[in-house]
Amino acid sequence: MILAGGRGSRLNIIAAKRAKPAVPFGGIYRIIDFTMTNVMRSEVRHLGVLTQYRPTSLMEHLGDGESWDFHGLRATFRILPPRMGQSSTDWYRGTADAVFQNLDFLEAQKPDLVLILSGDHIYKMDYRPMIKWHLETKADLTIAGMEVPWEEVGRFGTMVLDSSLRVQTFLEKVKDSPSNIANMGVYCFNYETLAQELQNNCPKGRYDFGADVIPGMLGRSKVVAFMFDGYWRDVGTLNSFWEANQDALNPRSGLDLWSWRVRTNLEGRGQVYHPPAVVDTGAKVQNSLVSRGCVLKGEVRDSILSPGVVVEENAVVVSSVIMHDCRIGKGARVLRAILDKDVVVGEKAKIGDINPDPGCNKRFPTHLWGGLVVVGKKTEIPANCIIEPNCIVGAGVKATDMPLHLEKGESVGC
Amino acid sequence: MRDLIAMVLAGGRTDALGVLTERRPQSALPFGGMFRVIDFVLTNLAESGVEKVGILSQYKPLSLMDHVGIGRPWDYNGRTRELSFLPPYQGSKEIDWYKGTADAVYQNLHFIERHRPKDVLVLSGDHVYRMDYRPLIAMHREKKADLTMVFKPIEVSSPCRFGIGVVGKNGRVLRYFEKPEVPESNLVSLTIYCFRREVLEEQVKENARTGKTFHIYDEIIPQLVQHGKVYGFIFRRGWEYLRPVSAFYDAHMRLLRVRGEKVSMERVRTNLEEEGLAEAPPVYFASGGVATRSLVAPGSMIFGGVRRSVVFPYVRVEEDAFVAESVVFHRCHIARGARVRRAILDKGCFIGEGAVLDGGDGLIVLGKGVKVMDGAVLKGTMEILPDRVVG
């Protein structure tokens, strides 16, 4: 079961109209592709995807699951949105509740084990060794964990383990955790245990795996950890989203798209129709990922370009994430920025700055800091416009409604 | 379009492309960075709304059959659309290999009979062009023609290697000459034919009795021009014949130019499940790499230089290596410091460190999987057979 209903509010405008798992990543992918590919390569043949927040683009992307080889008689692929239950509309009230409301789907599959996964993370993992470990240790629940740097411990749920990797304590995001083993949000449950725990917790208003269900199981059930030591990122904030995209440029970061062979739905956004990328005379492309249908005449450095991006003559794109079909006008500069789909940057406009900035966005200080700029879908940046670091420009802003100068930390149209 | 079917001649063996077609028919040849030649005709057919397509294949059809499958990438599935492979089969006598294009159609009259369309498009799968066939079909029907064939005005040489037509003011084809010594006009036949079904059936049956070469262009066209109602449809956009190998190369160089005639690759569909295309990440251009005037397909990594070249998926150009004016097929690896100029590299070639390949004024063509050793120097026109180790 993939939990893909997350709102991703700290991704701000790029996750405002799509669920976080549907946010484009690495040029041609969406975040959920990584988990979908893991499930496929682990040969798990029965999959439910739990959706809730703005699921349209996610549902379109997942389609009937065929891009990840979910077809044929021995495979199940089901999108599981909330539905009307006994009481009014039962929105999923938490991660555990989402699974609880779909126990009938699980029951029909008659599984021995259930993997509960998050659709929000960038990682490559074969779940089979974890399943083997789960069976060997005769656990009721196995939780994938990985060591994180001590200074980042506060960003994760953590687990205190004994020498046999049995989970002693389970802590939701706390700064002074005695453990630096993070909970990756990858759970392997015995089906019987899962069904029982959900029936015990959810009707009593305990709706969350991390906060309610798992802490309650410690001591009573056998909960063990499975240690993972590969690349794993929760791209929860605009900054971590930008950083993970930068990691995609460097296989040594651990995010190696060439060996991961991540699959995506190539039908989306007419990607399938695009010819190979064109690098024209005058173009200078350095340390960048360039997708199909891009036409480059200017300079591109340390950036990730989705399909159909056009960079005109003398334009400069540095350290940026540029999504589908954006057009960067002649002589424009886009520096340390995230541009959502279909953004048009007018001639000689300047977005962001080549250097980091110590400040943050004034309205959303916890969403955007360090000097990045974010521009929403279909926004038009007028010619000669200057947008300083830490600014957020919302989606669909017309050139005529844009100020010609946006000072540090300002927000417009959101 | 329910009352029309298409037959695509895609299996012909050709020697004109040397090592490139040693193990595949011309229609299965990679083209344009990530396509195969036949993708263009299949995209044309799909976009023209032609719903029934038969592919006549003969020479080593496996790679073609793998690629085309049941036609899903071109949307040939569903209740009303169909794409069928029509390979030679054992007839009443022995194995009836297709003796020529007319014979290939003759042996598949059952396919035409099954659908009983009003008209039949007979096309070659060996050429690269983008064309909406609907205006051609409309003209054919409006003129109530027996056959409407497509011509393109180009600069022709003597002797001419194409079929040449003389077309009157009303569009009627007055005279037709196959490969004439001295061409009478500049209108070249593109081997795109729209036949009235009854006429095609009658002609190929007649040809099966009396034919010598069993080719449509040799025997049926001249016959029909003399005795039937044949019209010429003029097409003026890009069309690539791709033979001989220099034409295949020039067609790729034309894809790179800014102005002038070239074949558009927008919206051309291909089978992405081949060659790991569905799993290919975007192209990676490294720091210190230089790429100009080039087409580069997904999955490739460019650490060195690429200029005026077409690079297919999963190619790796290492640091200080340089590829210029070349066509590099899937999975080639150009090692550090190697230089490649005016060359066509078939799939999976390896060019060793510091090796030099320079086609000079001609062209170097490496067959599939050729390995050029470190420091080897190859200069001038040459062709290397598949899987050879050189240097």
Side-chain angles (χ1 to χ4, degrees):
Chain A
M1 301 286 264
I2 297 182
L3 301 163
R7 153 103 220 247
S9 54
R10 287 177 305 153
L11 282 172
N12 205 288
I13 51 170
I14 64 167
K17 294 208 170 148
R18 42 171 102 91
K20 184 172 158 191
V23 169
F25 182 88
I28 58 172
Y29 311 101
R30 294 188 190 247
I31 292 173
I32 198 170
D33 292 344
F34 292 80
T35 305
M36 291 294 291
T37 302
N38 289 342
V39 171
M40 180 187 88
R41 298 222 191 279
S42 303
E43 292 178 8
V44 177
R45 305 299 291 136
H46 306 277
L47 176 64
V49 180
L50 300 146
T51 61
Q52 174 149 299
Y53 179 76
R54 303 234 181 197
T56 347
S57 65
L58 183 63
M59 286 167 72
E60 210 176 287
H61 179 68
L62 295 176
D64 59 359
E66 216 199 313
S67 302
W68 298 271
D69 215 17
F70 282 99
H71 57 105
L73 296 173
R74 283 183 296 269
T76 313
F77 177 81
R78 196 71 49 75
I79 289 181
L80 301 165
R83 49 199 154 144
M84 299 273 269
Q86 286 140 339
S87 60
S88 63
T89 359
D90 288 338
W91 290 106
Y92 299 149
R93 285 158 292 196
T95 50
D97 187 48
V99 179
F100 177 63
Q101 290 195 40
N102 289 287
L103 272 180
D104 54 347
F105 168 75
L106 279 178
E107 185 62 43
Q109 309 298 320
K110 298 191 180 60
D112 295 321
L113 303 175
V114 181
L115 279 175
I116 311 275
L117 307 167
S118 160
D120 289 355
H121 302 149
I122 305 291
Y123 68 120
K124 179 199 173 199
M125 182 173 180
D126 185 335
Y127 303 119
R128 286 171 296 187
M130 175 174 172
I131 293 165
K132 198 167 161 242
W133 175 247
H134 178 83
L135 295 171
E136 271 171 18
T137 57
K138 297 193 171 61
D140 297 305
L141 163 63
T142 302
I143 303 171
M146 71 179 284
E147 261 183 74
V148 295
W150 281 101
E151 59 273 19
E152 287 178 30
V153 155
R155 290 176 45 212
F156 303 99
T158 49
M159 305 181 279
V160 179
L161 310 177
D162 71 8
S163 58
S164 62
L165 295 188
R166 207 159 159 169
V167 180
Q168 304 294 308
T169 340
F170 197 81
L171 296 151
E172 283 286 70
K173 298 169 188 166
V174 287
K175 280 220 160 57
D176 52 352
S177 169
S179 166
N180 69 334
I181 309 294
N183 165 19
M184 292 166 60
V186 174
Y187 307 119
C188 179
F189 273 99
N190 282 345
Y191 173 66
E192 292 303 328
T193 313
L194 175 69
Q196 201 167 16
E197 289 295 334
L198 293 176
Q199 271 148 4
N200 290 343
N201 281 281
C202 294
K204 294 179 191 143
R206 296 198 290 266
Y207 297 130
D208 199 75
F209 280 114
D212 310 310
V213 177
I214 296 171
M217 286 174 71
L218 300 178
R220 277 194 290 113
S221 306
K222 187 167 184 189
V223 181
V224 301
F226 174 82
M227 294 307 290
F228 175 82
D229 62 358
Y231 181 97
W232 176 86
R233 289 288 182 284
D234 175 5
V235 286
T237 66
L238 285 166
N239 282 66
S240 63
F241 172 78
W242 179 85
E243 278 161 16
N245 268 286
Q246 290 290 315
D247 286 343
L249 292 175
N250 179 10
R252 270 165 297 187
S253 69
L255 202 182
D256 183 353
L257 294 174
W258 287 268
S259 76
W260 287 16
R261 290 156 59 226
V262 180
R263 291 186 66 105
T264 184
N265 181 354
L266 293 164
E267 295 288 332
R269 209 48 202 265
Q271 221 210 110
V272 78
Y273 296 117
H274 282 302
V278 179
V279 187
D280 219 325
T281 316
K284 196 173 166 204
V285 193
Q286 306 268 291
N287 189 38
S288 296
L289 281 168
V290 181
S291 306
R292 286 165 70 169
C294 287
V295 179
L296 310 183
K297 297 174 184 167
E299 190 181 335
V300 178
R301 190 149 38 93
D302 307 326
S303 295
I304 295 91
L305 274 50
S306 288
V309 171
V310 179
V311 180
E312 299 279 12
E313 286 97 338
N314 300 317
V316 178
V317 176
V318 181
S319 302
S320 294
V321 179
I322 314 286
M323 296 186 196
H324 307 65
D325 301 309
C326 286
R327 180 175 283 271
I328 317 299
K330 286 181 187 160
R333 279 170 295 168
V334 178
L335 315 165
R336 297 175 72 84
I338 300 168
L339 270 48
D340 205 330
K341 296 178 180 179
D342 301 310
V343 169
V344 180
V345 179
E347 291 184 13
K348 293 187 178 149
K350 188 193 177 206
I351 298 178
D353 195 277
I354 194 127
N355 297 310
D357 183 279
C360 58
N361 185 271
K362 288 176 195 159
R363 259 182 73 195
F364 303 100
T366 57
H367 294 182
L368 187 70
W369 66 89
L372 295 179
V373 173
V374 185
V375 181
K377 199 169 167 177
K378 285 187 181 154
T379 283
E380 302 164 9
I381 307 294
N384 302 309
C385 177
I386 294 174
I387 300 175
E388 294 191 15
N390 296 318
C391 287
I392 299 180
V393 183
V397 181
K398 293 263 164 284
T400 44
D401 299 329
M402 271 295 292
L404 276 177
H405 192 150
L406 218 57
E407 288 184 21
K408 279 184 187 180
E410 294 291 330
S411 303
V412 82
C414 59
Chain B
M1 228 171 283
R2 296 273 161 91
D3 47 2
L4 178 122
I5 66 166
M7 299 185 89
V8 179
L9 300 159
R13 160 137 184 78
T14 173
D15 291 321
L17 287 164
V19 289
L20 297 179
T21 47
E22 192 171 285
R23 294 178 184 177
R24 48 167 102 88
Q26 182 174 333
S27 53
L29 198 58
F31 185 86
M34 52 183 281
F35 307 104
R36 291 195 191 233
V37 169
I38 199 166
D39 292 344
F40 289 78
V41 161
L42 292 179
T43 301
N44 290 343
L45 286 167
E47 291 193 340
S48 302
V50 177
E51 295 189 337
K52 315 273 188 221
V53 178
I55 298 184
L56 287 73
S57 62
Q58 170 158 309
Y59 176 68
K60 303 204 171 175
L62 274 186
S63 64
L64 190 64
M65 289 170 85
D66 280 351
H67 178 72
V68 174
I70 55 166
R72 258 198 80 172
W74 303 273
D75 216 12
Y76 278 102
N77 54 342
R79 204 169 55 79
T80 61
R81 291 181 297 276
E82 173 193 334
L83 186 146
S84 308
F85 262 86
L86 305 169
Y89 57 94
Q90 265 191 312
S92 46
K93 289 160 262 170
E94 51 208 285
I95 302 179
D96 289 336
W97 292 106
Y98 300 152
K99 286 173 283 206
T101 45
D103 184 53
V105 175
Y106 173 72
Q107 290 200 40
N108 289 289
L109 278 174
H110 62 94
F111 180 73
I112 302 176
E113 193 54 37
R114 176 148 60 90
H115 295 294
R116 293 189 69 78
K118 211 166 140 192
D119 302 294
V120 182
L121 271 180
V122 179
L123 311 168
S124 167
D126 290 352
H127 309 141
V128 164
Y129 61 102
R130 299 299 298 282
M131 180 177 179
D132 183 343
Y133 300 120
R134 284 171 293 195
L136 161 69
I137 297 157
M139 173 177 174
H140 174 74
R141 288 179 178 174
E142 190 193 321
K143 300 281 188 189
K144 298 190 168 56
D146 293 330
L147 161 66
T148 305
M149 53 195 295
V150 180
F151 293 99
K152 176 177 161 68
I154 63 170
E155 231 173 87
V156 289
S157 53
S158 311
C160 180
R161 59 201 182 105
F162 299 107
I164 294 287
V166 178
V167 178
K169 276 209 169 63
N170 59 354
R172 189 89 184 238
V173 180
L174 305 173
R175 288 182 293 285
Y176 177 84
F177 307 94
E178 186 60 31
K179 302 186 182 68
E181 284 295 322
V182 184
E184 204 187 314
S185 87
N186 68 341
L187 291 178
V188 163
S189 164
L190 305 187
T191 61
I192 301 167
Y193 309 119
C194 183
F195 281 98
R196 189 137 57 82
R197 175 176 54 87
E198 292 86 347
V199 173
L200 179 65
E201 286 175 341
E202 193 187 293
Q203 288 292 324
V204 295
K205 281 178 190 163
E206 171 71 20
N207 184 264
R209 283 195 301 275
T210 62
K212 289 188 185 68
T213 70
F214 301 100
H215 275 300
I216 294 174
Y217 52 79
D218 260 352
E219 299 182 341
I220 292 181
I221 307 291
Q223 161 79 13
L224 268 181
V225 168
Q226 266 192 346
H227 304 290
K229 238 178 127 184
V230 180
Y231 282 82
F233 180 92
I234 310 295
F235 178 76
R236 295 180 191 278
R237 281 183 294 144
W239 179 82
E240 300 288 0
Y241 185 61
L242 305 182
R243 272 189 293 217
V245 75
S246 61
F248 178 78
Y249 173 82
D250 291 340
H252 278 91
M253 293 303 114
R254 274 191 281 276
L255 292 177
L256 299 174
R257 64 190 192 185
V258 189
R259 274 174 225 91
E261 192 180 275
K262 65 173 173 184
V263 177
S264 161
M265 297 199 292
E266 287 298 322
R267 303 187 68 79
V268 175
R269 302 204 51 153
T270 188
N271 184 351
L272 296 171
E273 291 304 335
E274 268 197 320
E275 293 289 349
L277 253 179
E279 289 161 14
V283 195
Y284 177 68
F285 292 98
S287 305
V290 199
T292 53
R293 277 254 60 104
S294 295
L295 278 162
V296 190
S300 288
M301 299 180 99
I302 312 295
F303 297 89
V306 174
R307 183 168 52 86
R308 294 185 63 79
S309 295
V310 179
V311 176
F312 286 68
Y314 294 108
V315 168
R316 200 176 162 98
V317 179
E318 297 283 10
E319 280 162 44
D320 302 318
F322 205 87
V323 176
E325 298 161 60
S326 294
V327 180
V328 183
F329 286 2
H330 316 63
R331 289 177 279 102
C332 286
H333 186 148
I334 322 294
R336 233 167 241 271
R339 293 268 177 285
V340 176
R341 193 187 148 265
R342 282 191 72 91
I344 301 174
L345 278 51
D346 204 330
K347 293 180 186 176
C349 286
F350 175 82
I351 312 299
E353 284 187 22
V356 175
L357 272 71
D358 190 338
D361 299 329
L363 209 49
I364 293 177
V365 185
L366 304 190
K368 236 180 189 175
V370 166
K371 190 174 176 209
V372 177
M373 302 295 276
D374 292 356
V377 177
L378 306 180
K379 286 197 167 166
T381 297
M382 68 182 79
E383 195 183 64
I384 313 245
L385 294 172
D387 302 321
R388 291 290 165 92
V389 179
V390 190

